Amino acid sequence: MHIRKLLEQRFQQAFQQAGAPADANPQLAPAGRPEFGDYQANGAMAVAKSLRQPPRALAQKVVDALDLSDIASKVEIAGPGFINITLHDTWLGKRLDGALSEAHLGVEPAAQPQTMVVDYSSPNLAKEMHVGHLRSTIIGDAVVRVLEFLGHRVIRQNHVGDWGTQFGMLIAYIEHVSSGGAAQLSLALEDLEGFYRNAKQKFDAEPAFADTARAYVVKLQAGDAHCLRLWQQFIDTSMSHCERVYERLGVTLRRGDVKAESAYNTDLPWVIADLGKQKLLRESEGAQCVFLDEFTGKDGAPLPVIVQKSDGGYLYATTDLAALRHRGSELRADRVLYFVDARQSLHLKQVFAVARLAGYVPSTCSLEHLAFGTMMGEDGKPFKTRAGGTVKLMELLDEAEQRAYVVVSGKNPELSEGELRAIARSVGVAAVKYADLAKNRINDYIFSWDQMLALDGNTAPYLLYACARINSIFRKGELSDTHFTGHIRLEHPAERKLGLALLRLGEVVEAVAADCNPNLLCSYLYDLAGLFMQFYEACPVLKAEDATRSSRLLLCRHTAAVLQRGLDLLGIETIAQM
RNA sequence: GCGCCCGUAGCUCAGUUGGAUAGAGCGUUGGCCUCCGGAGCCAAAGGUCGGACGUUCGAAUCGUCUCGGGCGCGCCA
């Protein structure tokens, strides 16, 4: 159990003995200032109010009832009724010894593991992956890793777009190119983006081709074998491209996590029929709609959720409903998380509302849209290439590696070319991912090479450097595992601060799991790296003697482990040197 | 017109869900090398938290209004 939870339990008991209701929240938090100790309980003021008692008097009763003698060296009341707790140095040392001996670094699995369905990445397979897919992919993957680390059952759902109207056009174009032979086709498919562009061009220029394309959409949806075969060929090529991107990004999505739009194809008529049976449908201008009172449009009239077009075709709302039913009723999710652009928030609200109304998800199932803002260039406008096109992820990563190479080789020219290349590969990807993860999801995000590759501040290079620096201590000391013995003793203030921070990993990871905000973990790791630098500055490690030396070595080792684990949870790999 | 999101140091961003004197990095200024990686550490300066009113012991955080910016709003996804 992490420290805050432990204190919470002790305080809850004490609050009850002091006359507070059973559900009173002691409001435990890390201390806001060093002079307030290590943790503070802020709940006395609120509870005193509901009990109509003077807050300081209640705080005193709580402290009287509280028994922290085994873990705290000081408990005092301050200000209007804050209760400040200072923990025993020796107790902290023992906690650290214990945490260090575990693979999970003292983080306990969730008491009640849940089933989490996580919808992220979900690119459209008609084109190459581009920057628009980056945030969902990176943030979603980090949250997935955190949830799994806490022992939850995570079901990834890569809801790729493989079934829109563009696919008729692409199939027709495949057929056109194949007339030049199989080799011609595989060559053409190597450049997916170019393939799409050429198909579109032909579509716009040649009415006959456009007619064929439109006819193929219908044939495809009717299950025509020829069209399906061509379609499958295209999908396979495009999926392989996505997998190369995932591989390079270090994203955990695999082929088995794909649950494409087309997978719900046969459910769509059922959804319409079922909504009809439940009297939720109303026809409007020829389309089948669900009207919800809580959503109104331009003239104040209820806004429809169109689930079937007047021509009988289905829309993405229909597919999303089918997906929600699958996730809620078949996968039995406790939480369904959508890492989707903020611009889709109305759409998702509507779909969630319809799904609940129709009973497609249990009422206990939490549906969450984890929205994120748009990626902007440094000019504050949507991030584009110089020519104004969308930035492909592969090209973005190429540039990241090149720029990382320049930075790393400039700072550490004695490394070999091979080492530099390998380091640049890691640093480049890490910089791109970390810059995204470190920011609050909901704001638009300004993409800046200089900032993400900076060696100072809350960046991947700074954290990777901190890891490398710790490693170099071990290298320099020529230490093997047998050297890491003894116990951690927190004597110097810098050691104490570092040790206390190391014990907070569990609190932070739980907060990330609750809010799906990986930036909390980034801030924590950055703070931790800063505390380590301060410790390292103030406390000689290799030059220290006996028990102090082994204690400090253990602190270094634990810091390295927490940094490495934390970065791993963010989907970022660490490197031995840089 | 209606709805959602955002306004925090010159710039880029935090702020643990209502807690004590609002924090980092960059940039600016000034310190620290008998140093285990100085890619570091310490310190200074920089703020009416867009504005107003309200809720209460207490507001960057909650409510109402207002100004500014972004996005969305019937058969694309």
Side-chain angles (χ1 to χ4, degrees):
Chain A
M1 190 181 315
H2 62 238
I3 296 177
R4 204 188 64 197
K5 204 183 289 169
L6 181 66
L7 289 170
E8 232 158 44
Q9 288 189 356
R10 301 277 184 104
F11 269 88
Q12 253 155 15
Q13 282 182 359
F15 266 84
Q16 279 181 49
Q17 285 175 42
D23 62 344
N25 180 2
Q27 296 187 37
L28 262 299
R33 302 173 154 277
E35 59 266 35
F36 299 157
D38 299 326
Y39 281 83
Q40 56 183 74
N42 302 330
M45 280 91 76
V47 173
K49 186 181 161 65
S50 69
L51 295 178
R52 296 164 184 270
Q53 287 183 22
R56 278 196 74 107
L58 180 72
Q60 189 57 56
K61 280 191 211 166
V62 170
V63 171
D64 290 344
L66 192 66
D67 183 13
L68 293 181
S69 56
D70 53 334
I71 61 179
S73 57
K74 192 165 70 175
V75 177
E76 53 186 9
I77 300 170
F82 296 102
I83 303 171
N84 296 332
I85 305 120
T86 304
L87 299 162
H88 273 307
D89 299 349
T90 48
W91 183 76
L92 287 173
K94 275 190 203 134
R95 296 276 302 194
L96 285 163
D97 288 338
L100 195 47
S101 64
E102 298 170 19
H104 274 48
L105 302 170
V107 180
E108 287 192 347
Q112 290 160 333
Q114 294 185 304
T115 299
M116 314 276 200
V117 169
V118 186
D119 181 320
Y120 71 107
S121 194
S122 304
N124 188 325
L125 296 184
K127 299 187 193 180
E128 269 189 50
M129 286 188 81
H130 56 85
V131 289
H133 305 117
L134 194 59
R135 302 204 73 189
S136 172
T137 305
I138 290 175
I139 300 172
D141 202 55
V143 171
V144 154
R145 288 165 183 260
V146 167
L147 293 173
E148 284 185 334
F149 182 61
L150 286 173
H152 295 293
R153 176 165 173 258
V154 175
I155 305 174
R156 295 163 176 77
Q157 294 279 277
N158 194 356
H159 190 82
V160 301
D162 64 346
W163 204 245
T165 42
Q166 313 104 308
F167 287 92
M169 177 182 88
L170 292 166
I171 292 169
Y173 195 66
I174 286 186
E175 195 166 51
H176 169 74
V177 176
S178 324
S179 62
Q184 188 97 28
L185 177 63
S186 64
L187 187 72
L189 282 172
E190 269 174 32
D191 175 17
L192 272 182
E193 200 70 18
F195 191 87
Y196 182 92
R197 202 169 44 241
N198 293 336
K200 181 87 169 74
Q201 203 169 16
K202 194 170 176 66
F203 183 89
D204 291 338
E206 298 176 24
F209 178 76
D211 288 342
T212 310
R214 275 189 284 267
Y216 279 12
V217 178
V218 179
K219 286 177 87 174
L220 179 67
Q221 301 202 340
D224 175 85
H226 174 65
C227 283
L228 272 175
R229 207 179 62 241
L230 295 175
W231 170 79
Q232 192 62 51
Q233 192 174 358
F234 183 87
I235 296 304
D236 286 346
T237 308
S238 189
M239 261 325 296
S240 305
H241 159 76
C242 287
E243 282 172 327
R244 283 197 300 277
V245 174
Y246 293 150
E247 170 73 30
R248 203 165 161 194
L249 272 175
V251 163
T252 59
L253 284 168
R254 297 291 172 265
R255 193 67 73 117
D257 303 316
V258 171
K259 179 83 176 173
E261 281 182 351
S262 61
Y264 298 103
N265 212 28
T266 53
D267 297 342
L268 303 183
W270 181 91
V271 168
I272 302 299
D274 184 71
L275 291 174
K277 207 181 297 171
Q278 298 199 47
K279 309 270 183 243
L280 294 172
L281 285 187
R282 202 167 87 206
E283 191 178 313
S284 170
E285 298 172 38
Q288 294 297 325
C289 310
V290 180
F291 284 89
L292 299 161
D293 295 335
E294 61 263 46
F295 301 102
T296 51
K298 292 176 183 175
D299 44 6
L303 207 59
V305 182
I306 302 179
V307 290
Q308 189 172 27
K309 297 193 281 184
S310 51
D311 68 1
Y314 305 105
L315 296 106
Y316 76 137
T318 330
T319 313
D320 282 340
L321 280 172
L324 265 168
R325 197 197 59 80
H326 176 244
R327 293 163 186 188
S329 299
E330 285 170 34
L331 299 179
R332 307 209 141 272
D334 296 303
R335 288 174 81 185
V336 187
L337 309 178
Y338 284 79
F339 289 89
V340 174
D341 192 300
R343 284 172 292 194
Q344 304 228 24
S345 105
L346 176 62
H347 163 72
L348 285 172
K349 267 187 202 165
Q350 290 179 317
V351 171
F352 290 172
V354 174
R356 288 210 187 279
L357 207 56
Y360 292 164
V361 293
S363 58
T364 51
C365 173
S366 165
L367 304 177
E368 303 170 41
H369 177 202
L370 290 323
F372 49 83
T374 311
M375 255 178 76
M376 302 294 197
E378 290 187 79
D379 55 2
K381 288 185 276 195
F383 190 56
K384 301 273 182 177
T385 60
R386 204 161 297 173
T390 52
V391 179
K392 297 179 198 169
L393 281 188
M394 277 300 186
E395 290 173 2
L396 184 90
L397 294 174
D398 287 342
E399 182 164 0
E401 285 183 18
Q402 275 170 27
R403 286 175 180 264
Y405 179 86
V406 172
V407 171
V408 175
S409 59
K411 287 293 177 187
N412 208 346
E414 60 268 26
L415 291 171
S416 75
E417 178 67 13
E419 286 169 328
L420 282 174
R421 287 285 166 204
I423 292 168
R425 199 154 45 237
S426 295
V427 173
V429 175
V432 169
K433 294 180 82 170
Y434 190 86
D436 198 337
L437 291 166
K439 275 161 192 126
N440 193 318
R441 272 199 342 259
I442 196 63
N443 293 308
D444 286 344
Y445 151 51
I446 295 183
F447 188 94
S448 161
W449 288 115
D450 289 343
Q451 242 165 277
M452 71 179 68
L453 284 165
L455 299 155
D456 303 297
N458 191 6
T459 65
Y462 176 84
L463 288 177
L464 292 176
Y465 166 69
C467 291
R469 198 172 180 189
I470 298 172
N471 264 313
S472 89
I473 296 170
F474 303 150
R475 227 184 358 254
K476 176 116 181 176
E478 295 178 350
L479 299 166
S480 68
D481 266 7
T482 56
H483 290 87
F484 296 97
T485 55
H487 301 283
I488 289 181
R489 304 187 311 182
L490 303 176
E491 287 162 346
H492 192 282
E495 292 176 304
R496 201 177 183 289
K497 278 192 197 168
L498 177 62
L500 188 63
L502 288 169
L503 290 170
R504 289 196 51 228
L505 177 66
E507 297 172 29
V508 174
V509 166
E510 277 184 23
V512 174
D515 296 349
C516 302
N517 281 323
N519 73 317
L520 294 175
L521 181 51
C522 296
S523 300
Y524 167 75
L525 294 176
Y526 178 58
D527 286 345
L528 189 64
L531 290 173
F532 177 80
M533 293 298 183
Q534 286 165 37
F535 152 78
Y536 191 61
E537 196 83 13
C539 305
V541 177
L542 294 176
K543 289 178 181 170
E545 288 179 4
D546 308 327
T548 303
R549 185 176 194 259
S550 43
S551 168
R552 288 179 179 168
L553 278 171
L554 285 168
L555 268 176
C556 290
R557 191 196 213 191
H558 200 169
T559 305
V562 171
L563 285 175
Q564 186 164 351
R565 171 62 80 174
L567 286 168
D568 175 64
L569 291 176
L570 294 170
I572 291 169
E573 62 172 11
T574 49
I575 43 187
Q577 56 176 351
M578 69 180 277

